[in-house]
Structure formats: structure tokens, C-alpha cells
Amino acid sequence: MVLKCFRKIHELWSFQGLAVKSGRNVKEEDLSLITDGAIICKEGVIEWVGKDSDCNSKVINEIAPGAQLEEVFFKDKIIMPAFVEAHTHSIFAGDRTQEFELRIQGKSYQEIADQGGGILSTVKATRETSKKKLTDLTQERVNRFLSQGVGTLEIKSGYSLDEKGEVKLLQALKDLKGPEIIATYLGPHALSPDMPKHEYQNLILQKILPHIVHHKLAKRVDIFIEKNYYDIEFARNYFSKAKDLGLDIVAHVEQLSYSAGLPLAIEFNAKSVDHIVKMKDSEIPILAQSETTAMLLPAADFYLNIPYPKARQLLDCGARVAIATDFNPGSSPTQDLSFVGLLSRLAMKMTFPETLAAYSLNAAFALGQESRKGSIDIKKQCDFIVLDDNLSSLFMSVGHHPVAEVWLAGELKYKKS
Ligand code: NIG
Ligand code: FE
């Protein structure tokens, strides 16, 4: 048995205090700074966190008597939990550069979609691309996330909108390397270009969802509840079926218009409600008191030039708030975590500790991974980042990624060259 001991860490920001409050009402002290800290890891899992001076043979023997010790020293270094990027549409082919120009010229996202652009244009390009090519394209994007310190990465399907193609996308995700990938099925992302709405909806319920469970392709499902896309009547059936099959639920709700997807998702104990730009003020306390995480995607709001969600009111009401890039070729063509963090602070008035929590433990909650991810804590996976600038330099300057190394499950996965 080999124990890994990460020692003499100048500043160890463990974020342990966040878990105590389940990611709500976050304050600076919840970032739980340990100066001159140490972490002991056994088979990729954290067994002990504390002051380096307390990391002695007694502690080590209690974890694994007679174990060999492999020590890694981080003198003068700053360490924090790896980021959790919990809402992306990273698997697709083609690009939407022309559409971007049209939007600059004044066409709305909805108008472009109505004319066959938008999601459907990415669907066309994705369907024409082989699984191997899709994996290669996505791996490059995954590497870009890893180099910014992402240790856990959610990726949704949703750019094929047919049984074979959606399965192909979910299978391709299994070949990716680097961060832990959490796959989400998003078959109801746009209407099928091949068949009437009801036919595709029935196919999803009767065939695709059971297939996904049987072949273990995803443990969670998402849906785009929106005018001209999917309505709450179908969403209710979709959530019921998903629950029966033991799948976790998340939902794109109230992004462009209000369709009461949020209360429905909460009724079904969704892990997160995502976007929520148009949610009602009266729903703020309902969301805050629920176990559902509010997933805010300010880069998409920025690109679509729409208002930002009411982050401050949600936070002040005690909601658990997470943030993510929503990376996709249309509404949010960026993978930049520094931009998302900056918008959260500048445009949504989130404090620095709230922003850090939103990109770590709270994002882990949104993925149902809060017992394994999002803070440097006993029994969690040993995922951390070594910074080459102060913690406070994060989320201020777009493109500033002070990530020198990324360690996942106790192994070095990325080193800045
Ligand atoms: O989260 N709103 C639905 N899905 C994506 C956009 C996808 C696209 O434009 O290709 C989103 O914003
Ligand atoms: Fe999205």
C-alpha cells in the first residue's frame, strides 16, 4: 500500500466550510484556509487534511499501518479544489460563425432558429460526423477545460435528435480522457427534423430512455422547456419516466420566456434548474428552500444580450447557486471559466467566495457529486489545482488562468509548460 502525502502547502484552500452549509450563505471563512497544510491520499481518495505539523507517523499508521509513503512537496504553493464545470454542450461538429454575424446585425436567437439555423444547423453537421471524429473534436475542448483546472466536466448530448445519433454521442463521451466526464442525455433539445413532435416524444419515452439506462450511457437527463421547443406537459411525462428509470433530472428552464418549467422541475426534485433568466420573483423562495441547485449561465446571457438572472436575490434568500459556461456553438461559444466567473461577480454581483463556491462544491451538488467532488475533504476524490498566482487573482481578468498543475484522484494530469 502506498499513501501519497502532499506536504508543506503554503496556502491550502480546502473549501471544507462550504459543505457544512450545503453551499448556501457562503462567507469568506467557508473557504477554510489552512496555512502550511498537508493532504494524505489513498488510492485517489483523500484520507486526511490538516496542518503539515500534524501530519506525523501516528496519523499515517491510523490510515494504513505499515504503508509506504510517497511525499510531494508544495512549498510556497497555493492549492484549491479543482473546478467543476457542470453544464456544457461540448460534443458537436460544425460551427455557427455566420449565425453569430446575423445576430450582430440584429436577428434574434429565436428568429435564426425559426429559419432552420440555431441548434438544427449544428444537428446537421453533427449527424454527418463519425463517432471517432466527434471524440477527437471533443477531446480538444476537454483539454482546454482541463488546462483551466476543471476536474469534473458535464457534457450533454442533444445535437443529433434521433435514437442512433444521440446514442453515438453518449458513446463517444466514454472515450474521453482527462477530467471525470459526467454524461447527460438531452434528446429533447430541439424538435426532431425527421418526424412529428409527438412521434419523437413517444420514441424518447418508450425507447430511448430505457435504452440509455440498459446500456448505462447516462445517469441523468435534461430537457429544453421553452416556447416552440418542449412544453411542461411533455416535461412531466419525461420526468416521470426518468424518475421511474432511476435517472437524475436537470432542465433548461425559463431561458428565453417563462413556461413554468421551474416549479415542475422542483416538484420532481431536479438536481438543478438551469438558466432561470425569466423566473418569477415569487419562485425565488421556493427554489431557495428546495434541494435543487440554481444553475446560472451568465456567458449565454451575455452572448444573447438578455438580462442576467437574479443571482443576488437568490443568494440572499439562501439558494444554492452554481455557475457554468454553457459552452455550445450557438448561445455560448466560450469555454472560458474566467469570463463566467467575472460576469458572475461584475454583472450578477456575486461575492468572490460565492463565485468560488458556485464553481466548485455547488456545481458538484448540481451533478449529484457533492460527496465526491468540489472541496478538499476526507473521503472525497483527491482533485486539486496548484495556482501560480494568488487565489484572489481569479475571476477578475478575462483569460487569466493561474493554473500551474491539475491533480486528479491524486495523479498529475496537467502541468503548464
Ligand atoms: O443552453 N437553450 C438550449 N440549449 C443551449 C443552446 C444550444 C445552441 O444554441 O446550440 C443553451 O443555451
Ligand atoms: Fe445549455
Side-chain angles (χ1 to χ4, degrees):
M1 167 68 58
V2 182
L3 285 185
K4 254 193 187 161
C5 190
F6 300 102
R7 301 202 52 181
K8 300 261 178 217
I9 303 164
H10 177 55
E11 285 181 16
L12 171 53
W13 296 89
S14 71
F15 290 19
Q16 285 171 327
L18 299 177
V20 179
K21 297 161 127 184
S22 155
R24 301 170 196 267
N25 303 307
V26 171
K27 298 282 174 289
E28 193 178 342
E29 57 267 27
D30 303 322
L31 302 177
S32 310
L33 171 64
I34 303 168
T35 48
D36 200 19
I39 307 168
I40 302 177
C41 153
K42 187 173 98 182
E43 291 166 342
V45 175
I46 297 167
E47 292 291 341
W48 186 89
V49 184
K51 283 263 187 205
D52 191 79
S53 53
D54 295 333
C55 178
N56 50 34
S57 52
K58 185 167 166 275
V59 168
I60 290 161
N61 272 327
E62 271 168 21
I63 297 165
Q68 266 182 285
L69 207 58
E70 191 187 317
E71 290 179 310
V72 186
F73 288 90
F74 286 110
K75 204 166 169 301
D76 301 326
K77 297 282 194 263
I78 299 167
I79 284 182
M80 64 169 284
F83 292 115
V84 177
E85 170 59 50
H87 180 137
T88 84
H89 305 253
S90 298
I91 188 158
F92 62 86
D95 70 73
R96 304 244 288 275
T97 47
Q98 274 189 317
E99 169 183 322
F100 189 73
E101 183 63 11
L102 287 175
R103 281 204 272 124
I104 306 286
Q105 290 166 11
K107 283 232 180 326
S108 73
Y109 182 80
Q110 200 87 63
E111 282 166 338
I112 292 165
D114 292 345
Q115 287 159 21
I119 296 174
L120 283 185
S121 84
T122 302
V123 168
K124 189 170 178 299
T126 305
R127 283 183 177 184
E128 286 164 1
T129 305
S130 70
K131 180 177 155 230
K132 167 78 175 73
K133 178 73 188 163
L134 280 164
T135 306
D136 293 348
L137 285 170
T138 311
Q139 185 64 58
E140 275 180 44
R141 299 166 188 150
V142 170
N143 295 347
R144 219 168 285 140
F145 276 125
L146 177 69
S147 70
Q148 296 177 68
V150 171
T152 311
L153 174 62
E154 189 259 12
I155 304 182
K156 303 172 194 300
S157 72
Y159 285 121
S160 214
L161 308 177
D162 56 4
E163 185 182 359
K164 228 175 79 208
E166 290 291 314
V167 166
K168 177 177 84 177
L169 294 177
L170 293 171
Q171 277 168 342
L173 298 184
K174 294 201 182 286
D175 297 332
L176 297 170
K177 313 259 175 319
E180 181 168 331
I181 305 290
I182 308 284
T184 306
Y185 169 69
L186 176 56
H189 189 196
L191 303 186
S192 160
D194 315 314
M195 58 184 93
K197 188 171 180 174
H198 279 93
E199 217 174 290
Y200 183 50
Q201 293 183 163
N202 284 338
L203 186 74
I204 289 173
L205 297 178
Q206 306 309 327
K207 213 159 157 225
I208 306 182
L209 286 182
H211 181 94
I212 283 166
V213 173
H214 186 73
H215 294 277
K216 298 190 168 61
L217 293 171
K219 292 187 184 139
R220 54 207 310 279
V221 299
D222 196 348
I223 177 172
F224 187 25
I225 306 177
E226 181 65 54
K227 194 162 79 206
N228 299 333
Y229 291 83
Y230 292 91
D231 58 27
I232 53 166
E233 285 72 40
F234 172 67
R236 180 174 286 284
N237 294 336
Y238 184 64
F239 291 161
S240 299
K241 184 75 185 189
K243 272 262 131 76
D244 287 350
L245 291 167
L247 295 159
D248 281 344
I249 290 163
V250 295
H252 285 68
V253 291
E254 340 297 15
Q255 181 186 10
L256 307 169
S257 62
Y258 181 81
S259 34
L262 184 145
L264 182 76
I266 291 177
E267 184 190 323
F268 279 88
N269 205 12
K271 288 283 169 205
S272 67
V273 279
D274 302 36
H275 288 289
I276 56 174
V277 175
K278 301 271 177 159
M279 72 181 283
K280 291 183 177 165
D281 282 357
S282 60
E283 291 168 343
I284 290 174
I286 299 169
L287 176 53
Q289 279 150 35
S290 75
E291 275 310 310
T292 300
T293 298
M295 173 61 76
L296 311 185
L297 307 161
D301 308 325
F302 175 85
Y303 274 109
L304 293 178
N305 215 355
I306 59 174
Y308 295 93
K310 292 178 183 124
R312 199 59 268 151
Q313 280 165 261
L314 281 162
L315 288 157
D316 291 341
C317 213
R320 186 193 302 116
V321 170
I323 52 175
T325 58
D326 190 22
F327 170 53
N328 73 73
S331 67
S332 190
T334 180
Q335 293 190 241
D336 199 312
L337 274 72
S338 73
F339 181 51
V340 173
L342 172 66
L343 286 176
S344 302
R345 299 177 75 187
L346 199 60
M348 300 200 296
K349 303 285 176 261
M350 289 170 61
T351 66
F352 186 54
E354 283 166 350
T355 307
L356 289 168
Y359 238 142
S360 56
L361 185 73
N362 292 5
F365 264 103
L367 296 177
Q369 299 290 327
E370 68 275 14
S371 63
R372 301 179 55 237
K373 300 277 184 162
S375 60
I376 298 173
D377 221 333
I378 292 168
K379 294 298 167 202
K380 288 201 172 184
Q381 189 157 296
C382 188
D383 292 359
F384 61 84
I385 318 172
V386 183
L387 298 179
D388 54 15
D389 199 346
N390 288 327
L391 185 82
S392 59
S393 76
L394 286 164
F395 305 139
M396 196 170 89
S397 180
V398 177
H400 180 55
H401 303 289
V403 178
E405 293 174 9
V406 182
W407 291 72
L408 303 178
E411 302 290 334
L412 181 64
K413 291 281 173 163
Y414 167 82
K415 195 172 169 58
K416 200 182 255 178
S417 51

